[in-house]
Amino acid sequence: MLSGKLTAAVNWASAKGILGGYDNHDGAFTINPDGETARVEAAKVLVATYKLLIGGKL
């Protein structure tokens, strides 16, 4: 279970298109906070957040 602040951050990042989660193949997506993160996934989140914060487009 995610804490309140983490849930708010994940919801914000999802709404901005930074996080998308994993496709459940049923039209829904899941974010697994206990799963492992690949370097490429972490890099995508960092770059997308940076671009968003400096006024760039994703």
Side-chain angles (χ1 to χ4, degrees):
M1 188 81 180
L2 298 177
S3 71
K5 288 183 180 181
L6 183 55
T7 299
V10 168
N11 288 338
W12 175 85
S14 179
K16 298 294 183 181
I18 296 171
L19 295 177
Y22 297 98
D23 190 352
N24 293 336
H25 304 291
D26 64 357
F29 291 84
T30 300
I31 294 174
N32 182 2
D34 295 322
E36 294 182 9
T37 301
R39 284 180 286 200
V40 68
E41 293 170 321
K44 184 226 178 228
V45 169
L46 293 172
V47 169
T49 302
Y50 176 75
K51 284 182 178 181
L52 185 68
L53 293 176
I54 64 168
K57 294 181 181 179
L58 299 180

